Amino acid sequence: MTFRLSPLLTACAASALLAACAVGPKAPDASLPPMASGAFVSVMPGTANAAVVSSPARDDWWRLYADPTLDGLIEQAFTRNNELEAAVGNLRAVRASLSEARAGRLPTTNTNAAGSYARASANSGAVPGATNGQPLDETEVYDAGLDVAYEIDLFGRVGSTIRAARADADAQAAALDVIRVSVAAETARAYADACSANAQILVAERSLALQQDTVDLTQRLLEGGAGTGLDTARARALLASTRATLPTLRAQRDGALYRLSTLTGVTPAEASGAARGCVRPPQLSQPIPVGDGAALLARRPDVRQAERALAATAARVNVATASLYPSISLGGAIGTTAADAGDLGDDASFNFSVGPLISWSFPNILVARARIAAADARTDAALASFDQTVLLALQETETALTNYANELDRRAALTEARDQAANAARLARLRFDAGADSFLTVLDAQRTQAGADATLAQSEALVTTYQIALFKALAGGWQGES
């Protein structure tokens, strides 16, 4: 219902309403758990993880690899990645909505102008004094005016709407940063995967060359009467088995290149030639700086996004609560009405009105209370999502730290195993040439060496993969870009 108040009633109502202008709950507590601000479990004193240090994490982490190709690819991804462009567009849209919400603080204005030329029918009976069948005089009416209204935000509806829109804009900015972190990490991962696949191809090709020599040897021995067909068949079987690994490795390399092309905004045909020719995954020459839990959660844009989403839902509870109370506006209108367009400026044509306007959906408040209950439920859900995001951020980082540390230990053991296997293959060949061992011993030693070489190459790839996963968990790559 809508009604106007006298000045006295207006003053009385304003005094009463001002006393109750603070409505709605406070924002829920989005504080971090106490243990989240300490050192990571994997880098606490007493843990043997020399691959990381507790100094502050770097934003431009990819530069630690000192690889110009990688630097250029990530810069290209930041410039041309389509997901980033879409996120930037979404952010602009949300910020425009924030500007719209802020406009609620300003008066609304409406201008109008109209002119009409009319004659009523005497047969309608709608005009008093008209004679049936005799037309009335034709009339002209011209009207122009300006209406102004300003909502007095006694109960915080406008302010809460602005806070919710601002939190939405902040959350969308954080969502953009989440994508930027992912693009940087996935670009580095695709490049590293291409390099690692090429490195494993080289290892397989070296094994093939060695095994081909063995096949040639067994063939010569067979032709000279000193060998057997069984030895030749076994040597050829080992050679074919190793050769069978190459198509899979080439497919892995090509798949990584195609991922890289998509991330950098080009077609597969335009995939980086430098990445295609890379034969060694990026290498670090220093420990990774990781900071601590508090710094991590301050950096992680997904945590910030969840916190801003929580703030937005809390503000919307206040918006819903404000609907329980009257909406008060101050309005005014000024205009002029005349029967001739030339008389619109005359004093006699001037008219105006001014006064407060109250709108109140009372006593039917069931809809408002249902909206409040729904907003409260969404706030509870947002708070739970925030808590879960914090835990997942810590889980992801701790997992990345332990995966990296343990893969480094595994790589060290595999390096020793590869060296010993190579030495065993060399000795087996010497003993076979001297007639001290059978050719089966040589084949077994070569098979062990090829397996050790391949496993070590896979571990080298995993080390780089876990490094990049750790950098991604530490959320580098977005600061200063929003």
Side-chain angles (χ1 to χ4, degrees), residues 158-463:
V158 175
S160 296
T161 300
I162 293 173
R163 286 195 299 275
R166 184 182 298 114
D168 285 340
D170 292 342
Q172 187 60 46
L176 170 60
D177 294 336
V178 170
I179 295 176
R180 187 174 279 112
V181 168
S182 178
V183 166
E186 293 308 314
T187 299
R189 194 197 308 273
Y191 172 67
D193 287 349
C195 296
S196 297
N198 278 333
Q200 293 177 68
I201 288 172
L202 288 179
V203 169
E205 288 175 343
R206 286 197 298 268
S207 296
L208 281 174
L210 177 63
Q211 292 164 13
Q212 184 63 57
D213 290 342
T214 302
V215 168
D216 294 342
L217 172 62
T218 58
Q219 186 64 35
R220 288 195 300 270
L221 290 174
L222 177 62
E223 293 172 353
T228 66
L230 178 60
D231 290 342
T232 301
R234 284 171 171 168
R236 291 187 182 279
L238 179 58
L239 178 66
S241 178
T242 302
R243 185 179 290 119
T245 63
L246 287 174
T248 300
L249 294 173
R250 292 187 182 115
Q252 291 174 359
R253 177 198 59 200
D254 292 345
L257 290 172
Y258 301 152
R259 293 200 329 266
L260 184 60
S261 66
T262 300
L263 287 161
T264 54
V266 299
T267 64
E270 301 170 287
S272 169
R276 182 177 294 276
C278 174
V279 295
R280 186 169 182 260
Q283 303 290 315
L284 288 178
S285 59
Q286 57 184 295
I288 298 177
V290 297
D292 58 21
L296 168 74
L297 297 177
R299 289 167 59 86
R300 291 271 301 212
D302 55 340
V303 173
R304 179 160 48 89
Q305 181 184 9
E307 187 277 327
R308 290 286 80 202
L310 174 59
T313 57
R316 289 189 170 93
V317 174
N318 293 338
V319 174
T321 304
S323 64
L324 291 173
Y325 301 90
S327 172
I328 303 176
S329 298
L330 294 178
I334 184 172
T336 178
T337 303
D340 187 276
D343 296 333
L344 286 175
D346 293 346
D347 290 343
S349 301
F350 176 73
N351 62 78
F352 74 91
S353 66
V354 64
L357 180 68
I358 292 182
S359 297
W360 195 2
S361 299
F362 179 83
N364 183 17
I365 59 174
L366 295 180
V367 173
R369 293 197 178 279
R371 289 173 179 168
I372 293 171
D376 276 331
R378 283 190 287 269
T379 301
D380 291 341
L383 179 58
S385 295
F386 171 79
D387 291 339
Q388 181 70 359
T389 301
V390 169
L391 294 178
L392 287 175
L394 295 171
Q395 172 199 323
E396 181 181 346
T397 306
E398 293 286 6
T399 301
L401 282 166
T402 191
N403 283 344
Y404 179 43
N406 283 286
E407 191 59 36
L408 287 175
D409 292 341
R410 178 171 177 263
R411 183 181 66 177
L414 288 173
T415 299
E416 181 180 359
R418 187 275 314 273
D419 293 342
Q420 294 298 328
N423 188 46
R426 180 182 62 83
L427 293 175
R429 181 62 178 268
L430 291 174
R431 290 175 61 81
F432 172 75
D433 291 342
D437 268 330
S438 68
F439 185 71
L440 183 60
T441 302
V442 175
L443 286 178
D444 184 63
Q446 288 185 348
R447 183 182 296 107
T448 301
Q449 181 185 3
D453 283 337
T455 304
L456 178 58
Q458 293 168 2
S459 180
E460 292 279 5
L462 275 177
V463 165

Side-chain angles (χ1 to χ4, degrees), residues 34-80:
M35 291 302 295
S37 60
F40 295 115
V41 174
S42 301
V43 293
M44 284 182 174
T47 57
N49 189 353
V52 298
V53 292
S54 58
S55 56
R58 285 186 57 167
D59 178 42
D60 57 344
W61 53 265
W62 54 89
R63 301 192 187 280
L64 294 174
Y65 288 107
D67 188 329
T69 299
L70 177 58
D71 295 344
L73 288 170
I74 290 182
E75 184 64 30
Q76 181 179 349
F78 280 161
T79 303
R80 302 184 61 176

